[in-house]
Amino acid sequence: MSTQTDQVGDALAESTSAASLARTMERSAQIEAQIEVDPSRFRILTGDRPTGNLHLGHYFGTLKSRVELQRKGVETWILIADYQVITDRDGVGPLRERVFSILADYLAAGLHPEETTIFTHSAVPALNQLMLPFLALVTDSELRRNPTVKAEYEATGGRPMSGLLLTYPVHQAADILFCKANIVPVGKDQLPHLEQARVVARRFDERYGRVDPGTPVFPAPEALLSEAPLLLGTDGQKMSKSRGNTIELGMDADTTAKLLKKAVTDADRRITYDPENRPEVSNLVMLAALSTGRSPQDIADEIGDAGAGALKKLVIEAVNEHLAPIRARRAELVADHGYLARVLARGNERANAVADATLDEVRTAMQMKYV
Ligand code: TRP
């Protein structure tokens, strides 16, 4: 097993290499094209950890494209990954509040509960139970070498690694495989997870065989790489809640204006779009471009010598205008807790039905269906 394991460890690390990334991007573009032709061939699963309110980075990075996939008719499953919150922290924080807040963000952004199934880990026992057979298909050494686990571990400042942190890629494989998703929209950083899910799917097939001879119990999921530009925070650093540099979807227009007015720029009055050399200014230009649907070049040309003040004014107007209908809808949703609770209950119910059916197949393949 050790040779096989070494190869898998390499495959996970390989999944972020330049050559592998190029292949994944090419394949991702093919999938993109196939979705246009026949969206019914695909089932998408993706999700978020409920660790804080969603912000513009999430919105332009992933939320908008999820809404777009839903519009194209791809069956979409969205996981609020509550169990994953405890991988690298002791407490759960104000979890209940955050789950409902993220749900409100999803719906306000345009995810429709009849078309998109939104659910939480903790409400789907059969999903979590897949963790048992799946754990038997991986080794500790390949988990230790998983680039995502390593990155998470380093972020904890070297505190001892919990068993869950070590094995959470296997849990994430269960997230993807329980509903037999064949597409996972991800950023580059999540590619090792996807590779882990593919490994689990393949090994399950090798070890336990099939229920239906023609198809493996678990199809190998593929990545849909997001092309969304990376937005920075208002300080020009990586956008993160703990830095206080984010614009949340649920913030009001005045708070948004205040935060954007304080955004870091540089000493050059003339506004240009030059992400490499002028990351802060270019980030504001990009934000205006994304919010208006115009090109960054066009925005930069319009502002030109009018300077950072004029740029900020444009960004504030553009962001607030773009978010206004979303925020109005969000406020309505938050005021109707009963509705949000019903949406989640319905999503959980659907996820359970699918997870139960999958677990049943797993038991059959594993000869564990006795009665
Ligand atoms: N790991 C993802 C994040 O931190 C959240 C997540 C959990 C996820 N399960 C998933 C994403 C399955 C895609 C597929 O944001």
Side-chain angles (χ1 to χ4, degrees), residues 45-49 79 81 84 121 152 168 171-172 175-176 184-186 190 193:
L45 179 123
T46 184
D48 302 287
R49 298 180 191 202
L79 165 65
Q84 209 175 87
H121 271 143
E152 294 275 338
Y168 94 94
H171 195 228
Q172 187 151 326
D175 297 343
I176 296 166
V184 185
V186 282
Q190 298 278 308
H193 281 316

Side-chain angles (χ1 to χ4, degrees), residues 77-98:
W77 293 65
I78 309 270
L79 165 65
I80 302 177
D82 55 356
Y83 267 139
Q84 209 175 87
V85 172
I86 53 170
T87 49
D88 58 1
R89 55 186 84 195
D90 292 326
V92 289
L95 187 60
R96 187 185 167 76
E97 203 180 302
R98 285 175 175 168

Side-chain angles (χ1 to χ4, degrees), residues 109-129:
L111 291 175
H112 196 285
E114 282 313 311
E115 293 164 55
T116 297
T117 304
I118 304 170
F119 65 104
T120 56
H121 271 143
S122 59
V124 190
L127 181 164
N128 295 300
Q129 191 171 329

Side-chain angles (χ1 to χ4, degrees), residues 32-87:
E32 203 81 67
Q34 285 167 355
I35 287 174
E36 298 298 328
V37 180
D38 185 6
S40 70
R41 282 176 52 195
F42 299 102
R43 176 180 284 179
I44 282 180
L45 179 123
T46 184
D48 302 287
R49 298 180 191 202
T51 52
N53 299 329
L54 295 187
H55 52 61
L56 285 178
H58 298 116
Y59 177 70
F60 287 117
T62 53
L63 254 184
K64 268 192 86 180
S65 63
R66 291 178 193 172
V67 174
E68 190 56 17
L69 287 162
Q70 171 192 272
R71 191 191 60 72
K72 288 178 180 166
V74 183
E75 188 184 320
T76 310
W77 293 65
I78 309 270
L79 165 65
I80 302 177
D82 55 356
Y83 267 139
Q84 209 175 87
V85 172
I86 53 170
T87 49

